[in-house]
C-alpha cells in the first residue's frame, strides 16, 4: 500500500506492496495451516507444544529435528507460517515449563533455518506480534463470518484457552481498525484539495472505527474472558524475550549463526502497526514525549514486517492533517479532529487498565507469596517499564488535542 503525492498532487491511493488487506488490515489474510514435507516436522511439534512441555519432552524433541534448509520454502505465506512455527518452538525450547530452567543456547538445527528465514522476511528471530496475532488464525467455517465464535488460533501455548482469547481478541481489534485504514487516502486527498466537509466525514468515519476497535478490546475481560492469573503466570512467560530480561541477561546464543548471544524483545502490542499508523495520521508526535517511550516505539517498528514499516514511512511523508485543521480555524472541524484523537486516548486508557489487571495486580500477588525480589509488575513482554511507557504515550496523545478558540 503506497501513499505517495507527486508534484502534480496525484490522488493518494492504497497499493498492494504494503501488504495491507481490504478486510483484515495489517493481519495476514487466510494464513496457511500446513507446510510441505519435510517442514511438516516443525508443524507437528508446534501443534503438540503444550503436551510436549507438560510431559517434559519438548527439548529432546526439538534437539532430534533434522537441519532443514528454509530456502526451500517458497512463497510469502509459507515463510510466514514457518516463522510463526519456529517462533513457538523457540519460545517453548528456551522457557520450557516456565519454572526458571532456562536454555541460553538455541541449537543450530533450529537457529540456522530460523535466522535465515527471519533475514528473508525482514523480521527478528523471535516470536513477534506479526506471528502470534497477525498470522496465527483461521476460520472454522471458511464461508462464515470473521467472529470469535467462527475463529480459532493455529497454535497454542500452555494455559488452556488463554492463548486463544488473548491472540484472537488482539486480532479482532486489528480487523475492526482495518476499516479506518481504508479511509486514510480520503483523509489525505481531502487535505490536498482543501475539502473540509470531506475531511470531516472521513475523520468521523475513522473515529467510529476506532470506537469499534475499543468495543472489541473490551471483550478480553468480558465476553471472551482471558484469566489474568493464567495470563500472567503462564502465557506471559512464553511471550517474554531476551532483552532486558534478568533470566537471560546476555541474551540468547543462536548456535551456528552468531558467536555471541543476541538480545531481542518479546512480542508486545507496541509491535502492532495500528496505533503508530493513527498517531502518524493525526500528527500525534510521540517523539515529543518521554525520550525512552519514543525510542521504544521506533525500535518496535523494526519488529514489524518491512512492508508495514514502509507504510508508516509513507504516511509520514503525507500532508499534515493536524496543520490543515489548525490553519482553517473551523471550530466544527477541530471538534471532529479532537474526537478522533480522543478515540486514541480511550484505546490507550483501556490498555492501561488491562495492563493493571493482567500484569500489575497478579505481579503484586506473586510478590506477596514469593521470597524473590521482583520488578515483574513493571516489565512488559517487550522489556519496557510498562506503566510509565503507557502513561507517557497516552499523555502525548492527550497533548495532541486542539484547544478551543
Amino acid at each position: 500500500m503506497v501513499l505517495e503525492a507527486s508534484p502534480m498532487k496525484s490522488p493518494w491511493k492504497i497499493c498492494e506492496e504494503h501488504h495491507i488487506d481490504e478486510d483484515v488490515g495489517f493481519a495476514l489474510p487466510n494464513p496457511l495451516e500446513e507446510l510441505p514435507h519435510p517442514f511438516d516436522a516443525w508443524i507437528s511439534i508446534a501443534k503438540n507444544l503444550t503436551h510436549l512441555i507438560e510431559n517434559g519432552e519438548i527439548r529432546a524433541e526439538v534437539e532430534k529435528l533434522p537441519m532443514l534448509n528454509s530456502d526451500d520454502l517458497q512463497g510469502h505465506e509459507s515463510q510466514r507460517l514457518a516463522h510463526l512455527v519456529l517462533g513457538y518452538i523457540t519460545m517453548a525450547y528456551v522457557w520450557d515449563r516456565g519454572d526458571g530452567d532456562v536454555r541460553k543456547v538455541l541449537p543450530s538445527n533450529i537457529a540456522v533455518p530460523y535466522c535465515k528465514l527471519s533475514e528473508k522476511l525482514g523480521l527478528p528471530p523471535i516470536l513477534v506480534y506479526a506471528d502470534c496475532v497477525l498470522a496465527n488464525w483461521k476460520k472454522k467455517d471458511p464461508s462464515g463470518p470473521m467472529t470469535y465464535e467462527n475463529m480459532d488460533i493455529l497454535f497454542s501455548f500452555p494455559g488452556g484457552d488463554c492463548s486463544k482469547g488473548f491472540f484472537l481478541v488482539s486480532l479482532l481489534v486489528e480487523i475492526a481498525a482495518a476499516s479506518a485504514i481504508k479511509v486514510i487516502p480520503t483523509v489525505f486527498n481531502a487535505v490536498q484539495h482543501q475539502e473540509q466537509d470531506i475531511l470531516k466525514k472521513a475523520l468521523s468515519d475513522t473515529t467510529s472505527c476506532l470506537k469499534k476497535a475499543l468495543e472489541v478490546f473490551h471483550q478480553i475481560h468480558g465476553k471472551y474472558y482471558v484469566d489474568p492469573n493464567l495470563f500472567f503466570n503462564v502465557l506471559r512467560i512464553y511471550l517474554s524475550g531476551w532483552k532486558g530480561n534478568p533470566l537471560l541477561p546476555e541474551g540468547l546464543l543462536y548456535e551456528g549463526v552468531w558467536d555471541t548471544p543476541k538480545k531481542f524483545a518479546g512480542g508486545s502490542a507496541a509491535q502492532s502497526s495500528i496505533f503508530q499508523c493513527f498517531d502518524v495520521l493525526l500528527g500525534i508526535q510521540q517523539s515529543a514525549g518521554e525520550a525512552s517511550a519514543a525510542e521504544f516505539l521506533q525500535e518496535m517498528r523494526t519488529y514489524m514486517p518491512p512492508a508495514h514499516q514502509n507504510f508508516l514511512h509513507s504516511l509520514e511523508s503525507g500532508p499534515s492533517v493536524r496543520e490543515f485543521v489548525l490553519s482553517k480555524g473551523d471550530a466544527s472541524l477541530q471538534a471532529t479532529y479532537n474526537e478522533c484523537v480522543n478515540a486514541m486516548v480511550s484505546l490507550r486508557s483501556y490498555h492501561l487498565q488491562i495492563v493493571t489487571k493482567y500484569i500489575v495486580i497478579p505481579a503484586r500477588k506473586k510478590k506477596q507469596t514469593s521470597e524473590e525480589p521482583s520488578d515483574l509488575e513493571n516489565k512488559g513482554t517487550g522489556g519496557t517499564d510498562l506503566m510509565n511507557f503507557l502513561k507517557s504515550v497516552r499523555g502525548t496523545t492527550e497533548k495532541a488535542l486542539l484547544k478551543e478558540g
Side-chain angles (χ1 to χ4, degrees), residues 257-388:
V257 182
W258 294 295
D259 295 332
T260 53
K262 296 291 174 187
K263 296 179 182 181
F264 293 105
S268 79
Q271 294 169 5
S272 163
S273 303
I274 285 287
F275 290 114
Q276 297 215 29
C277 159
F278 292 106
D279 276 347
V280 175
L281 182 73
L282 296 167
I284 298 167
Q285 297 284 343
Q286 292 297 346
S287 57
E290 207 174 278
S292 59
E295 281 162 24
F296 181 69
L297 284 171
Q298 280 304 311
E299 183 194 342
M300 286 303 100
R301 285 198 186 188
T302 67
Y303 287 70
M304 298 172 187
H308 298 166
Q309 294 179 45
N310 293 339
F311 172 66
L312 294 176
H313 287 311
S314 72
L315 286 182
E316 285 166 339
S317 66
S320 171
V321 175
R322 183 182 166 76
E323 290 305 316
F324 177 79
V325 171
L326 269 170
S327 72
K328 292 298 161 194
D330 178 326
S332 170
L333 181 60
Q334 287 196 14
T336 306
Y337 170 87
N338 278 346
E339 279 172 23
C340 215
V341 174
N342 268 323
M344 288 290 286
V345 173
S346 298
L347 276 161
R348 288 187 157 131
S349 292
Y350 188 66
H351 194 187
L352 270 163
Q353 286 179 43
I354 286 293
V355 165
T356 302
K357 205 170 274 180
Y358 282 82
I359 295 178
V360 177
I361 293 170
R364 282 181 190 153
K365 280 185 193 164
K366 194 167 187 173
K367 220 175 185 175
Q368 287 160 8
T369 58
S370 168
E371 297 299 310
E372 299 163 43
S374 167
D375 65 347
L376 280 175
E377 68 184 86
N378 297 320
K379 281 279 188 226
T381 46
T384 45
D385 181 346
L386 201 49
M387 292 301 277
N388 283 345

Side-chain angles (χ1 to χ4, degrees), residues 20-324:
I20 298 172
D21 185 77
E22 181 88 356
D23 299 315
V24 297
F26 293 110
L28 186 69
N30 306 310
L32 292 181
E33 295 177 47
E34 301 292 344
L35 289 172
H37 184 75
F39 301 101
D40 52 349
W42 294 346
I43 297 276
S44 176
I45 286 189
K47 280 187 174 167
N48 292 303
L49 211 61
T50 298
H51 174 75
L52 292 169
I53 289 169
E54 286 167 357
N55 288 352
E57 298 168 349
I58 185 70
R59 286 172 173 162
E61 286 299 310
V62 170
E63 285 159 9
K64 271 191 255 174
L65 284 168
M67 171 85 80
L68 301 177
N69 185 356
S70 57
D71 285 344
D72 295 339
L73 281 166
Q74 299 303 310
H76 183 75
E77 283 79 8
S78 289
Q79 291 165 4
R80 287 288 295 274
L81 175 56
H83 198 268
L84 165 67
V85 165
L86 291 172
Y88 262 80
I89 292 171
T90 296
M91 291 313 210
Y93 186 85
V94 170
W95 303 121
D96 197 11
R97 292 182 178 178
D99 55 6
D101 173 19
V102 176
R103 283 290 155 94
K104 296 177 180 177
V105 180
L106 188 66
S108 59
N109 60 334
I110 287 292
V112 171
Y114 192 20
C115 290
K116 201 185 265 191
L117 180 66
S118 297
E119 192 178 3
K120 192 175 277 186
L121 287 170
L123 291 169
I126 190 169
L127 189 76
V128 292
Y129 183 94
D131 297 319
C132 58
V133 173
L134 301 182
N136 186 25
W137 64 276
K138 66 177 179 182
K139 283 195 200 177
K140 293 176 187 172
D141 170 6
S143 58
M146 294 283 282
T147 57
Y148 190 93
E149 290 76 11
N150 189 43
M151 291 169 79
D152 208 345
I153 54 174
L154 305 182
F155 308 101
S156 291
F157 286 114
D161 278 343
C162 197
S163 296
K164 179 181 176 180
F166 190 69
F167 296 149
L168 271 191
V169 171
S170 300
L171 175 72
L172 289 166
V173 170
E174 291 275 334
I175 291 169
S179 307
I181 300 170
K182 288 190 276 196
V183 182
I184 290 173
T186 311
V187 170
F188 279 152
N189 288 325
V191 170
Q192 277 185 346
H193 298 112
Q194 309 268 312
E195 293 167 325
Q196 287 175 240
D197 289 344
I198 292 174
L199 176 60
K200 217 157 112 179
K201 167 79 169 68
L203 288 173
S204 286
D205 289 346
T206 303
T207 302
S208 300
C209 296
L210 293 175
K211 284 181 174 173
K212 177 77 180 80
L214 179 58
E215 279 172 33
V216 174
F217 201 178
H218 277 120
Q219 294 171 351
I220 204 160
H221 198 72
K223 196 173 177 187
Y224 309 117
Y225 183 74
V226 174
D227 181 274
N229 292 315
L230 262 185
F231 171 79
F232 181 81
N233 293 304
V234 184
L235 180 58
R236 187 170 170 273
I237 292 164
Y238 298 101
L239 300 181
S240 300
W242 25 94
K243 183 173 185 180
N245 190 333
L247 292 172
L248 281 169
E250 304 298 313
L252 181 70
L253 182 66
Y254 293 78
E255 186 183 66
V257 182
W258 294 295
D259 295 332
T260 53
K262 296 291 174 187
K263 296 179 182 181
F264 293 105
S268 79
Q271 294 169 5
S272 163
S273 303
I274 285 287
F275 290 114
Q276 297 215 29
C277 159
F278 292 106
D279 276 347
V280 175
L281 182 73
L282 296 167
I284 298 167
Q285 297 284 343
Q286 292 297 346
S287 57
E290 207 174 278
S292 59
E295 281 162 24
F296 181 69
L297 284 171
Q298 280 304 311
E299 183 194 342
M300 286 303 100
R301 285 198 186 188
T302 67
Y303 287 70
M304 298 172 187
H308 298 166
Q309 294 179 45
N310 293 339
F311 172 66
L312 294 176
H313 287 311
S314 72
L315 286 182
E316 285 166 339
S317 66
S320 171
V321 175
R322 183 182 166 76
E323 290 305 316
F324 177 79

